[in-house]
Amino acid sequence: MDNLTQKPVPFRGGGFAPQPKPWVGVIVFVALIALWELGSRSGFLSPLTVPQPSKVWATFVDLYQSGLLWQQLLPSLTRLAVGASIGVLLGISLGLMIGLFSLARAGLVPLISAIFPIPKIALLPLFVIWFGIDEASKYALIAFGTFTPTVVATYGAVDNVDRSLIRMGQSFSMSWFSIVRKIVLPGAMPGILSGLRVSLAIAIILLVAAEMLGAEYGIGAYILEAGSLYDLDRLFTGVAILSLLGIIISFVIGQVEKRLLKWR
């Protein structure tokens, strides 16, 4: 009887919380690279279409040692930071306005719905006409591309906040600002951050497209030049740099989520 009473009861209220398994992703990634390398060396994958990962790595090392990596990467990071910051800040501000004010929702949701499906890359020539071929058109394209999905994600996140919590705050005579600050914003933050992942991924895509038109330096220009010369090692190196940039951005957003969403 004593053994039965001392037996620990497993916790059953996890709520499908994901368990951290950081090494699984690394193992999968390494396994895929190893299979790619073996396929390339064995001739299963043609070197005319897919280069060996070891050669891509060697090209990356040469790019780093020659100093050309930062010459190509810094302009891209600047364009991404400026354009995405403008788009995200405007998108979150307008999304909160739509989510909190009925008049803004009535007037702006139809407009956002009209411009959201437009392929942003197709507007690149128009932005060049409006802002010129220099940096302004690249900033504008990236900002516009991140703006619309951020707006939609933000006011959708505000709409998904539990209304019973808001009514509870009103029943305790909380002010409008207190309800927004203590209930609406924390409740909407998971959806806003999830939308931010999508918006920044779109920003990277638009960055490459913008740099392929009239940019002397940048990862997009580097990839375009490598493709025109049919230099697959350099081309895949540029693609790998973009992939690494996306991983870093996702990691940073994940760290922000851990800090802001401790209450979950």
Side-chain angles (χ1 to χ4, degrees):
M1 188 70 176
D2 292 337
N3 293 334
L4 291 177
T5 57
Q6 295 177 0
K7 184 178 180 180
V9 178
F11 178 64
R12 299 174 181 174
F16 297 103
Q19 301 298 319
K21 301 181 184 297
W23 291 106
V24 175
V26 176
I27 293 173
V28 171
F29 182 77
V30 171
L32 289 176
I33 295 297
L35 290 174
W36 180 5
E37 182 74 22
L38 290 174
S40 300
R41 290 181 180 272
S42 64
F44 181 77
L45 298 175
S46 173
L48 297 177
T49 55
V50 180
Q52 296 178 9
S54 57
K55 292 184 177 180
V56 174
W57 173 252
T59 303
F60 177 81
V61 172
D62 291 340
L63 191 66
Y64 174 77
Q65 292 178 344
S66 64
L68 292 176
L69 175 62
W70 296 112
Q71 189 179 33
Q72 301 288 351
L73 188 57
L74 286 178
S76 296
L77 293 177
T78 302
R79 292 163 185 148
L80 183 65
V82 174
S85 297
I86 295 172
V88 166
L89 290 176
L90 291 178
I92 292 177
S93 300
L94 194 63
L96 290 175
M97 188 182 301
I98 291 173
L100 296 173
F101 301 103
S102 299
L103 185 61
R105 179 184 295 269
L108 295 176
V109 167
L111 178 62
I112 298 299
S113 300
I115 64 177
F116 181 72
I118 299 175
K120 308 307 182 291
I121 295 179
L123 298 178
L124 180 56
L126 185 61
F127 280 94
V128 171
I129 294 173
W130 286 348
F131 300 101
I133 203 169
D134 293 329
E135 299 301 309
S137 60
K138 299 172 178 57
Y139 296 154
L141 179 67
I142 296 170
F144 184 67
T146 56
F147 168 74
T148 49
T150 303
V151 171
V152 174
T154 300
Y155 79 72
V158 173
D159 289 345
N160 287 329
V161 175
D162 191 349
R163 298 297 161 181
S164 62
L165 296 177
I166 297 177
R167 287 192 289 270
M168 184 183 301
Q170 292 172 333
S171 66
F172 281 98
S173 301
M174 292 178 64
S175 67
W176 184 88
F177 288 103
S178 295
I179 291 175
V180 171
R181 182 171 62 88
K182 297 180 179 180
I183 297 177
V184 175
L185 288 181
M189 194 58 65
I192 294 174
L193 292 176
S194 296
L196 195 59
R197 292 179 183 269
V198 177
S199 299
L200 294 179
I202 294 174
I204 294 176
I205 297 172
L206 295 175
L207 168 70
V208 176
E211 290 182 338
M212 286 184 174
L213 182 62
E216 183 179 1
Y217 296 108
I219 301 301
Y222 179 81
I223 292 175
L224 180 64
E225 181 183 0
S228 63
L229 298 174
Y230 202 75
D231 190 341
L232 294 184
D233 295 341
R234 291 177 59 195
L235 193 152
F236 273 75
T237 300
V239 173
I241 291 173
L242 291 175
S243 179
L244 182 61
L245 181 61
I247 292 174
I248 293 173
I249 290 175
S250 179
F251 173 78
V252 171
I253 295 177
Q255 295 304 307
V256 173
E257 287 180 339
K258 287 182 179 180
R259 290 182 177 275
L260 296 182
L261 305 180
K262 289 182 179 180
W263 53 270
R264 293 202 303 179

